[in-house]
Amino acid sequence: MKWVLLMLIICYAVPLHGLTKVASARPKAVNIGAVFTFNSLIGKVIKVAMDAAVEDVNASPSILNTTTLRIIMHDTKFNGFMSIMEPLHFMESETVAIIGPQRSTTARVVAHVATELKVPILSFSATDPTMSPLQFPFFIRTAHNDLFQMAAIADIVQFYGWREVVAIYGDDDYGRNGIASLGDRLAEKRCRISYKAALPPGPTRENITDLLIKVALSESRIIVIHASFIWGLELFNVAQNLGMMSTGYVWIATNWLSTIIDTDSPLPLDTINNIQGVIALRPHTPNSIMKQNFVQRWRNLTRVGLSTYGLYAYDTVWLLAQAIEDFFQKGGNVSFSKNPILSELVGGNLHLDALKVFDGGKMFLESILQVDRIGLTGRMKFTRDRNLVNPEFDVLNVIGTGYRTIGYWSNHLGLSVVPADERQNTSFSGQKLHSVVWPGQTTKVPRGWVFSNNGRHLRIGVPNRYRSEEVVSVKSNGMITGFCVDVFTAALNLLPYAVPFELVAFGNGHDNPSNSELVRLITTGVYDAGVGDITIITERTKMADFTQPYVESGLVVVAPVRKLGSSAMAFLRPFTPQMWLITAASFLIVGAVIWCLEHKHNDEFRGPPCRQFITTFWFSFSTLFFSHRETTTSSLGRIVLIIWLFVVLIINSSYTASLTSILTVHQLSSPIKGIETLQANHDPIGYPKGSFVRDYLVHELSIHESRLVPLSSPEEYDKALRDGPGKGGVAAVVDERAYIELFLSNRCEFGIVGKEFTKNGWGFVSIVLSISA
């Protein structure tokens, strides 16, 4: 009986001990710390939101059961040092998590300590994109990463066709890292930040004025402001005074501006006038019954406007509550222990040895990252890189006394006038953004750039050639004139804005420079563009961009020609001997056909053979003058006669026209009939020195380079053609039609032979500019 009694005691004691342990694992209260500035723009919203969230969590029977959630809030009073020290005070007590700090700069420091003590840090305002989970494993961002906000701005810049932006930001980790992310996203769109304008963390009005003056002198008119709530509106006030809120400017603000509008609405009239036409971003929170009920409840809680930070603060508390419930269900225990490293600091006035390590911190961190719930801001779930799923932003346009939503941006779908969560339920038109009222009260999309007042002039390279001063001419005083320059100047005069430039001669004026080399120098930055007789060929288009051709100028062959004067036998020249023979044979054949069809039935084609032959011959040749007297009686004979008379009409008309031309116009003749003749013989061929013609003749037409003779001027053309192949000259010259026409304008003994065998043109050349027209 004693043994049985002992066994019963052991059996009942073990489960009782286990129950006692489980009960002790779920404490009566769980402490969470919160660090922020109570009187800041964000602080006065999130304090009310977190109080409401704690009240709802503790009143809900579906979570935490008998455990009470407590949030202990500490005011940092706008002090960065306090933002670091207050979280350390929480880590001395039994605090399982900390919400905050408010700024990214202090969150970095606190996250290092939290990693050592295994206390999760949750922040919905420290959105620095460089705070990665690899470096800060116990830092969790419960709002959207600034990386996505910068991607949205880059998509807006690309949508409107702009290429360069100016970035204004605070010179701290938060500002620098955000703008660095913007630069990366713009580079993916083949855009860039042309000027990074940094302000000190606490700028004065003088600092802002000096900076905006520099911005106004830059080329880009697309200005992105990644500002602080403290000095953002002051910057717009200074910009208004400097005339930078006028037509032509584009201002894009990150979510700091939308937070001010939501929290302090309605803004003072002077303030709202300073931000007219500004585009701002705001984290998108989908409409839901839960959100509508909370917005209605908010009006009874405080007179402060509800910003997205309030919604994220509310959801962060609920996320922690659900993670705590999951932590307890997994058998987690809220216990703390001393850090052996910090125990060595005993005796100091800072009492760092009082900091405690959360024993269940790693398990609690996993519970936080596994939360998947629907809150006021939408779905609260983390990706592998610890970003919230489905990042989305509203694109706002400040108009009148408020703003208008002109579109939305999502990470997967880009810009749209329909939110991503509503696209499945509505017919999506594919429109990117609604129309915008820009600064200056205009709906016309700004060009986005101007020529800066302190910028350099465009360097325009102009070939300094020895020949053809009518095309391009560099005078002794340095002035550059000519047809090409006149066309370029006329084109610039049509632009609605001024283009400062200077013409720079390329070449020494004695040797013809290579236009291909000029194009290459443009690609290397020696020149910004090229103006002149620059032919558009495939090799050059691979290096730079050309305008549409303003002169058509293909390659032609010029050779000596001789005049064909009139003579007694000039009437035979309209037709070649072959043509005369074919015409005579045709008369005989037609006469024979008519005789075969008519002599059996038509008495006019009957009689002695001699008479029939004379009649047939006379009938055939009299049709040349339509004076035949013999009639045709058969149907086939009449058909043949009609067709033949039509042919005779054509022959008469052609002969008359050719003879008239011969007798009224001087005819020129040359043994060279075109480029085909030059390919077939072995005579020397002249070409302009320094031109692409040489490469074309060698590589495209397979003419041996030993036959090619470089010529530098029209005078050398003249002498080489007069001397001919027998006296060291050339048989012909191949050059562009524009130059040949100038050459022939006062030389009648030469002429263009054959057809133009290429289709080229002259154009202006430049590299792809990084500005958008």
Side-chain angles (χ1 to χ4, degrees):
M1 291 296 294
K2 292 181 179 179
W3 283 106
V4 172
L5 182 61
L6 181 61
M7 292 297 294
L8 290 174
I9 293 174
I10 294 173
C11 292
Y12 282 101
V14 171
L16 286 174
H17 175 74
L19 288 174
T20 304
K21 185 176 181 180
V22 171
S24 65
R26 188 180 283 267
K28 292 183 179 180
V30 176
N31 295 329
I32 296 175
V35 180
F36 58 94
T37 300
F38 290 176
N39 292 328
S40 65
L41 186 75
I42 298 178
K44 57 188 178 183
V45 174
I46 63 178
K47 186 177 186 300
V48 178
M50 285 195 292
D51 284 338
V54 171
E55 180 183 347
D56 293 345
V57 168
N58 291 329
S60 175
S62 62
I63 195 169
L64 292 183
N65 296 327
T66 59
T67 301
T68 301
L69 181 67
R70 292 190 304 187
I71 291 188
I72 305 171
M73 303 182 188
H74 285 183
D75 186 5
T76 59
K77 300 178 180 179
F78 296 98
N79 190 291
F81 178 72
M82 294 294 292
S83 299
I84 298 174
M85 298 307 297
E86 291 294 351
L88 297 182
H89 290 165
F90 284 125
M91 295 176 190
E92 293 178 357
S93 60
E94 296 183 352
T95 303
V96 298
I98 299 174
I99 300 177
Q102 192 169 316
R103 294 179 58 82
S104 299
T105 50
T106 53
R108 281 180 169 273
V109 179
V110 176
H112 281 292
V113 181
T115 301
E116 185 67 28
L117 301 180
K118 295 181 173 52
V119 178
I121 300 291
L122 290 82
S123 178
F124 43 81
S125 57
T127 53
D128 185 343
T130 62
M131 296 187 67
S132 68
L134 294 177
Q135 184 180 8
F136 306 102
F138 278 80
F139 174 80
I140 303 170
R141 186 184 292 107
T142 57
H144 291 309
N145 192 330
D146 271 347
L147 185 70
F148 302 109
Q149 185 173 206
M150 299 309 173
I153 293 176
D155 279 352
I156 293 173
V157 171
Q158 183 191 38
F159 172 70
Y160 288 109
W162 302 318
R163 288 293 176 266
E164 290 188 354
V165 304
V166 173
I168 301 177
Y169 59 97
D171 194 11
D172 54 19
D173 289 343
Y174 171 71
R176 287 191 298 267
N177 295 334
I179 294 303
S181 296
L182 175 62
D184 294 339
R185 293 298 171 265
L186 288 172
E188 294 174 0
K189 311 293 182 183
R190 299 187 67 183
C191 306
R192 70 185 185 97
I193 299 176
S194 60
Y195 178 40
K196 293 183 179 180
L199 283 169
T204 63
R205 187 177 181 87
E206 183 180 358
N207 296 145
I208 297 174
T209 302
D210 293 342
L211 183 88
L212 288 183
I213 290 174
K214 295 178 182 178
V215 171
L217 294 176
S218 64
E219 294 180 357
S220 178
R221 286 293 182 263
I222 314 302
I223 305 172
V224 177
I225 306 179
H226 190 45
S228 166
F229 302 105
I230 301 174
W231 53 265
L233 292 179
E234 180 71 10
L235 185 140
F236 278 118
N237 181 262
V238 175
Q240 181 74 269
N241 294 335
L242 294 177
M244 297 177 66
M245 300 302 298
S246 57
T247 303
Y249 282 90
V250 175
W251 294 85
I252 303 175
T254 51
N255 63 331
W256 65 270
L257 180 58
S258 62
T259 302
I260 293 176
I261 295 174
D262 291 337
T263 306
D264 293 340
S265 182
L267 294 174
L269 185 60
D270 292 342
T271 301
I272 202 69
N273 287 336
N274 291 337
I275 58 176
Q276 290 294 305
V278 175
I279 293 178
L281 295 181
R282 179 177 63 190
H284 176 72
T285 55
N287 291 324
S288 63
I289 297 177
M290 183 189 306
K291 178 182 174 183
Q292 292 174 3
N293 292 337
F294 186 78
V295 171
Q296 184 65 33
R297 176 186 174 190
W298 183 267
R299 296 170 184 170
N300 300 325
L301 294 175
T302 179
R303 295 182 179 181
V304 178
L306 177 60
S307 67
T308 54
Y309 285 103
L311 301 177
Y312 279 113
Y314 184 90
D315 282 350
T316 300
V317 174
W318 268 96
L319 181 146
L320 277 172
Q322 186 168 336
I324 292 171
E325 177 66 24
D326 180 72
F327 174 71
F328 286 150
Q329 290 180 1
K330 291 179 179 179
N333 186 24
V334 178
S335 62
F336 295 83
S337 60
K338 293 287 185 177
N339 189 321
I341 298 177
L342 296 178
S343 62
E344 300 176 1
L345 301 176
V346 176
N349 294 329
L350 294 178
H351 300 290
L352 295 178
D353 57 308
L355 299 177
K356 299 178 181 179
V357 177
F358 182 17
D359 297 329
K362 188 173 182 181
M363 181 187 295
F364 184 44
L365 177 66
E366 294 176 355
S367 296
I368 294 174
L369 296 177
Q370 291 173 0
V371 171
D372 186 359
R373 66 181 303 272
I374 301 298
L376 300 179
T377 58
R379 188 179 182 187
M380 297 288 290
K381 178 179 173 58
F382 296 100
T383 61
R384 289 184 177 180
D385 53 359
R386 296 193 186 178
N387 288 318
L388 290 177
V389 297
N390 305 324
E392 188 171 2
F393 286 86
D394 301 335
V395 184
L396 312 178
N397 181 209
V398 181
I399 304 174
T401 58
Y403 62 85
R404 182 172 68 100
T405 302
I406 59 173
Y408 306 88
W409 178 92
S410 63
N411 187 38
H412 300 293
L413 302 176
L415 295 171
S416 170
V417 293
V418 180
D421 54 303
E422 297 180 11
R423 290 195 191 183
Q424 297 178 353
N425 303 325
T426 58
S427 57
F428 177 54
S429 63
Q431 183 179 351
K432 297 293 186 180
L433 291 175
H434 291 299
S435 60
V436 178
V437 178
W438 304 99
Q441 300 297 313
T442 178
T443 57
K444 182 180 179 181
V445 178
R447 186 173 68 243
W449 64 273
V450 295
F451 284 98
S452 61
N453 296 328
N454 60 346
R456 66 177 181 84
H457 287 36
L458 294 178
R459 287 174 54 84
I460 310 297
V462 181
N464 186 8
R465 300 196 177 279
Y466 179 70
R467 58 172 184 163
S468 304
E469 294 184 354
E470 298 87 350
V471 177
V472 174
S473 175
V474 180
K475 305 298 184 181
S476 57
N477 58 0
M479 182 178 292
I480 302 177
T481 60
F483 171 75
C484 296
V485 176
D486 293 341
V487 173
F488 178 71
T489 305
L492 291 185
N493 291 336
L494 297 177
L495 297 177
Y497 46 86
V499 179
F501 68 94
E502 58 176 332
L503 299 177
V504 181
F506 170 65
N508 54 22
H510 302 289
D511 300 319
N512 292 330
S514 171
N515 282 341
S516 296
E517 178 63 16
L518 173 59
V519 174
R520 189 192 67 80
L521 292 176
I522 292 173
T523 62
T524 60
V526 176
Y527 302 105
D528 297 302
V531 170
D533 53 337
I534 306 174
T535 306
I536 305 173
I537 59 177
T538 304
E539 176 190 357
R540 295 171 185 170
T541 56
K542 293 178 180 178
M543 294 188 289
D545 290 335
F546 283 83
T547 63
Q548 290 294 324
Y550 59 89
V551 169
E552 293 185 0
S553 182
L555 295 181
V556 294
V557 178
V558 61
V561 294
R562 59 185 180 86
K563 296 180 181 179
L564 297 177
S566 58
S567 63
M569 302 300 293
F571 69 91
L572 295 176
R573 286 170 51 190
F575 292 158
T576 62
Q578 293 83 354
M579 185 61 185
W580 282 116
L581 291 175
I582 292 173
T583 303
S586 298
F587 277 100
L588 295 176
I589 292 172
V590 170
V593 170
I594 294 297
W595 176 81
C596 292
L597 296 174
E598 295 292 330
H599 83 281
K600 291 183 179 180
H601 308 288
N602 192 339
D603 293 338
E604 294 182 359
F605 291 90
R606 298 173 68 87
C610 182
R611 181 174 177 273
Q612 292 184 37
F613 177 77
I614 294 173
T615 300
T616 301
F617 181 79
W618 173 255
F619 172 82
S620 178
F621 281 94
S622 61
T623 56
L624 181 63
F625 307 101
F626 302 97
S627 60
H628 52 284
R629 294 180 299 175
E630 293 78 11
T631 59
T632 54
T633 59
S634 65
S635 298
L636 289 177
R638 291 173 179 174
I639 293 174
V640 171
L641 182 60
I642 291 173
I643 296 174
W644 172 244
L645 290 177
F646 182 73
V647 173
V648 169
L649 177 63
I650 296 174
I651 293 174
N652 279 334
S653 300
S654 301
Y655 179 85
T656 303
S658 298
L659 184 60
T660 302
S661 176
I662 290 171
L663 296 178
T664 57
V665 179
H666 293 291
Q667 299 295 305
L668 303 177
S669 176
S670 173
I672 298 175
K673 305 303 180 183
I675 191 64
E676 297 81 5
T677 305
L678 297 178
Q679 287 179 282
N681 60 32
H682 299 282
D683 293 334
I685 304 170
Y687 72 92
K689 186 178 181 180
S691 173
F692 74 97
V693 176
R694 178 187 180 280
D695 291 337
Y696 184 86
L697 295 176
V698 173
H699 300 298
E700 299 296 332
L701 301 182
S702 301
I703 296 176
H704 198 276
E705 59 183 351
S706 61
R707 296 176 52 194
L708 303 180
V709 179
L711 304 172
S712 300
S713 63
E715 291 74 17
E716 292 187 11
Y717 282 14
D718 185 282
K719 184 177 185 304
L721 288 172
R722 291 181 184 278
D723 292 343
K727 297 182 179 179
V730 296
V733 171
V734 177
D735 200 353
E736 298 178 71
R737 176 177 288 275
Y739 287 123
I740 294 302
E741 289 178 348
L742 289 173
F743 173 73
L744 297 178
S745 61
N746 55 2
R747 295 175 176 85
C748 300
E749 59 272 29
F750 309 111
I752 297 175
V753 294
K755 298 180 179 180
E756 186 176 299
F757 56 92
T758 64
K759 294 293 182 181
N760 299 112
W762 292 353
F764 305 135
V765 58
S766 69
I767 59 174
V768 178
L769 296 179
S770 57
I771 49 181
S772 172

